[in-house]
Structures are given as structure tokens and as C-alpha cells.
Amino acid sequence: MKKINKELRRLFLVLGLYSLADGIFYMFQELWMADNQLSIGTISIVFSLCSILSVSVIFLSSNFITKNKLKKFTCSLFLGKSITMFLLFLLNETGYNIPIKFLIMLDYVIDVELWISLYPLITLIKKDDKIYAMKDILYDAGYYFGVFLTGILLGKSIGGLNINYNFYIFIACILTFIPFLLLTKTNLEKYTQKEEKNKYTNQLNKIIKTIRKDKISKIYLLFVIFGEISYSCLIEMQVLLLADYFHFEASAISNMNIILGLASVIIGSLVISKLTFKNNYINIFLKYGVRFLLYTIAFFSNSKLCMLLAFVFIKLSSDAFLDIAHAPYINRYDSEEQLSFNNLKEMIEYIGTAVGVFLCGTILVYGLRYIFLVSSLFIALQIIFAFYALYLRNKESRLKYVK
């Protein structure tokens, strides 16, 4: 048990450094792109393409990456991401926007695959609903600590070196390379059994066939895509929205994200340990139902204060009830099936992201309030499928108990 705990702690350290690098890199990525002469419309298109490309890469990975290959695959992703960041660092203000857009999309795709791969690595050692939620909470804690660092250092100088958006890319590059070194030294091979050649071929098709007969998973995946569309409409380009529509300075956006992000981590931890209701319908409503009410109020009032309150609540509730909304549906699957199902879930999620970002860039010309209208429609669908999936899962649990 002591050795298992050591390796699990190593994976959590890898996750923490990875999230710290993401916080430093992604906090001002949109503004870095704007500084490199990319318009809001172009940025929204780039991010939409990022999500679409991610789906294709996840599809390929789902069919070829098995448990025995997962560690090597994840190591190669960390190395590839650090190289991509370094190239972006070199291309800053060169005017070479085509390679910049390509590298932004490449980094996005790699980052998606990294996030997908880390939980299956953890479940090689231990699988648990609360660990699934803690994975997100730990990521957010590291991410917002990275945001905190960017906020306090932005615009300052160390010696003759000016700390700007591009400097953060270089730091994130280094912080991404360290997990590569740590993971190569982590012994996960003993948790995987040698597999027969071609035993696990076409994993994605296999899990799709399984899901066709599983109503709970189908309803859960509908919950995922509608929720992601609603969320991405508002959050994926939040830095630009706060800067252009609320006229926040970069430092104010950074401080806001730090405070709300850390508060979200605290709330998520408290919810897991003490504040979860026995009735999961109440738990789901507290997260998604309140969002729906705030979105609706923001649209009808067209008040900047109400819109800002909606943004605040989204951030505060982001880490709450993950062990109820997502983990039970993923952990219904074991071993290779869980990896394949998680990949399929992420594919669907990034399709939702692409749709949400595209809708954001398209609808913004009519006004920010209409983003809230679209988000409220999609979150209403999300709530319906969340309740239905929970009903089916409760029914399944009762039948197992009777048996």
C-alpha cells in the first residue's frame, strides 16, 4: 500500500505541475493572440477548429492507445506540448500568423489528450468517484495559483527582462517539461497486464456498440454535450468578453479569476466532504438550475450586474458536485472500457465546445445578452437529461440491490 500511495502522489504532483503551467499559459492566451494581430472573430474560429481537431485526434487515440501504451503516450504528449509552447514563444510578434494559429491548435489538441489521459493513469492505481472530483479540484487549485502568479508579476521586470504575456509562455514550457521527466520515472507498468496482440483493436467502435444498449450512458452523453455548449458560449472566451464588454483591465481579470477560482476549489472541497445533500436531484439543481435562473434573468434584464453575477456563479460552482454529475457514469465502466468511454465522452464534449465557441463569436454581434439566451436554452436541456440520467441510475441501483 505504501508503494501505491507513493506512485499515486507522483501522479498528483504531475497533475499539479501540469495545471500550474496551464494557468500561466492560458490565462492571457487570448490577449497574447490579440497582440499578435488576431481579431476576436479569428480567435473564435481558431478555438472552434481546435475543438473539431481534438475530436479527430481523440478518435484516433481511442482506437490505438491501450493501458499498456498509456504512460508512454502521456509522456510524449508532455514533451510535444513543451516543444509547441517554445515555438510559440519564438514566434511572438514575428507576424507569422499562419504558423501561430497552427501551433495554437496543436497545443490545444495535445492539452485535450493530456487531460483525457491523466484520469485513466490514476485509475490504474485506484478508481473512486471522489478521486475523480478531487482530480478536477487539484487541477483548478494549480491552475488558479498559476493565474495568481501571472497577476502579481505582469508588467514587472526582473533585471532587464520584461514580464509580459510571452514570458509566461516560456515559463509554462518549462513547467510542462518537468512532468514529462517525473512521469518517465513513475513505475506504472506493474499495474497493467501484458495484452495479446490485436486484443484491443477498434476500441471506440466497441464502446459505441456497448453504449447503444445502455440507455443511461446515452442520456448522460446528451447531458454532456448540451451542458458543454451552454458553458462554452460564456466561458471559453471570457477574458475577451470581460475586457471588451465590461472594460476590465488585464490585472482586474486576473484578480477576479484568482479569487473566484480559489473560492471554487474551496467550495468544491467542502461540497465533497460535508455539503452534499442525500437527494441528488437537489444537488444537480443547486449547480445547474441556479445557473439557468441567472442566465434567464441576465437576458431579460440586460443588466451588466446580472450578467456579471452569472459569470461569478459559473466560476464558483464549477468544482461542485462533480462526484455526482460525472464520476458515477464514467466509473460504471471498468478497465479498457472506461478509457474508451472517457475518450468518447471527451470527443462529444469538445464537439459541444466547438459549437459553443462558434455560437459565441456569431451571436456577439447582436449583443452579450443573447449569449445568455442561447446558454439558458442549452442548459435547460442539460438539466432535463441530468435528471433523467439520475432517475435511470437510481433505478439501476435499486435493481442491483434487489438482486
Side-chain angles (χ1 to χ4, degrees):
M1 177 63 78
K2 185 175 180 180
K3 197 164 182 71
I4 291 176
N5 288 338
K6 177 182 178 181
E7 288 149 1
L8 192 58
R9 287 197 300 270
R10 181 73 67 87
L11 289 181
F12 283 136
L13 177 59
V14 166
L15 175 61
L17 289 170
Y18 160 63
S19 62
L20 178 62
D22 273 6
I24 291 173
F25 178 54
Y26 290 122
M27 178 61 217
F28 294 116
Q29 184 187 38
E30 296 155 35
L31 297 179
W32 181 88
M33 293 171 73
D35 281 353
N36 279 274
Q37 311 307 313
L38 298 177
S39 66
I40 293 178
T42 300
I43 293 171
S44 69
I45 291 171
V46 168
F47 285 146
S48 294
L49 290 173
C50 285
S51 299
I52 294 170
L53 289 171
S54 296
V55 172
S56 302
V57 174
I58 295 169
F59 174 80
L60 293 173
S61 300
S62 299
N63 284 300
F64 297 108
I65 305 303
T66 61
K67 287 196 302 181
N68 285 353
K69 300 174 183 176
L70 189 57
K71 176 187 167 181
K72 290 182 180 178
F73 177 64
T74 307
C75 287
S76 67
L77 291 174
F78 274 119
L79 181 60
K81 184 174 173 66
S82 62
I83 293 171
T84 302
M85 286 180 173
F86 184 68
L87 292 174
L88 283 170
F89 169 76
L90 295 177
L91 286 170
N92 183 52
E93 296 184 351
T94 60
Y96 296 130
N97 287 344
I98 292 177
I100 285 175
K101 287 184 281 188
F102 170 77
L103 289 170
I104 288 290
M105 289 188 282
L106 179 60
D107 169 79
Y108 189 101
V109 169
I110 294 174
D111 193 73
V112 167
E113 277 299 320
L114 269 174
W115 179 244
I116 292 172
S117 300
L118 286 173
Y119 183 63
L121 279 176
I122 292 170
T123 59
L124 291 176
I125 302 172
K126 187 173 182 180
K127 182 175 71 173
D128 182 81
D129 288 354
K130 291 190 182 297
I131 284 180
Y132 180 90
M134 288 305 299
K135 168 209 56 156
D136 285 62
I137 290 173
L138 176 59
Y139 176 88
D140 283 351
Y143 184 94
Y144 289 111
F145 182 67
V147 172
F148 171 74
L149 292 177
T150 64
I152 62 173
L153 295 175
L154 185 63
K156 296 182 172 61
S157 297
I158 298 177
L161 181 64
N162 183 39
I163 298 178
N164 54 22
Y165 304 146
N166 201 48
F167 174 80
Y168 290 142
I169 294 180
F170 181 71
I171 296 301
C173 169
I174 296 172
L175 289 172
T176 304
F177 186 72
I178 295 173
F180 162 73
L181 298 176
L182 287 173
L183 193 54
T184 56
K185 301 295 184 180
T186 305
N187 182 17
L188 298 177
E189 286 76 12
K190 65 180 181 179
Y191 298 104
T192 60
Q193 297 178 348
K194 289 187 178 180
E195 56 196 11
E196 299 174 7
K197 192 174 181 181
N198 297 326
K199 182 179 177 182
Y200 298 117
T201 58
N202 217 5
Q203 287 294 313
L204 191 59
N205 284 342
K206 182 180 176 183
I207 197 65
I208 289 173
K209 289 178 181 178
T210 302
I211 291 171
R212 284 176 180 171
K213 301 174 184 177
D214 184 9
K215 192 173 184 179
I216 294 176
S217 293
K218 287 188 285 188
I219 298 301
Y220 166 70
L221 292 175
L222 287 170
F223 156 80
V224 167
I225 190 167
F226 288 124
E228 189 58 34
I229 293 172
S230 174
Y231 181 85
S232 298
C233 273
L234 289 167
I235 295 300
E236 287 297 320
M237 295 180 65
Q238 64 170 318
V239 174
L240 283 177
L241 293 177
L242 291 172
D244 288 354
Y245 287 85
F246 293 90
H247 307 296
F248 283 10
E249 297 292 333
S251 59
I253 295 172
S254 175
N255 292 335
M256 178 180 174
N257 274 283
I258 293 165
I259 295 169
L260 295 179
L262 294 177
S264 173
V265 170
I266 294 170
I267 290 170
S269 300
L270 288 174
V271 166
I272 288 177
S273 60
K274 297 180 179 179
L275 300 179
T276 302
F277 290 90
K278 291 183 178 180
N279 188 329
N280 283 333
Y281 291 103
I282 296 175
N283 295 324
I284 290 172
F285 179 81
L286 287 175
K287 180 166 184 171
Y288 302 109
V290 174
R291 286 185 184 181
F292 170 76
L293 294 175
L294 290 173
Y295 294 175
T296 306
I297 292 170
F299 168 69
F300 283 110
S301 68
N302 197 25
S303 164
K304 284 191 174 182
L305 177 60
C306 292
M307 293 177 186
L308 193 58
L309 287 174
F311 274 115
V312 168
F313 184 79
I314 294 170
K315 300 293 290 185
L316 290 177
S317 62
S318 60
D319 286 323
F321 305 115
L322 294 171
D323 55 324
I324 293 166
H326 292 282
Y329 302 98
I330 293 170
N331 286 335
R332 287 174 73 241
Y333 293 90
D334 294 320
S335 190
E336 296 291 339
E337 282 196 335
Q338 186 194 75
L339 176 58
S340 299
F341 181 75
N342 197 42
N343 278 330
L344 179 62
K345 176 248 183 185
E346 294 292 337
M347 285 174 61
I348 291 171
E349 196 167 76
Y350 282 99
I351 290 172
T353 300
V355 173
V357 173
F358 176 77
L359 288 174
C360 178
T362 303
I363 297 170
L364 268 177
V365 296
Y366 302 103
L368 183 58
R369 65 182 300 199
Y370 292 100
I371 298 293
F372 285 94
L373 173 62
V374 172
S375 293
S376 67
L377 295 175
F378 281 107
I379 204 171
L381 292 170
Q382 181 188 26
I383 293 167
I384 291 170
F385 288 113
F387 282 170
Y388 191 26
L390 178 57
Y391 165 77
L392 292 175
R393 189 163 59 84
N394 289 341
K395 185 178 178 181
E396 179 185 63
S397 298
R398 287 194 298 268
L399 289 174
K400 287 182 179 179
Y401 179 77
V402 170
K403 291 179 180 179

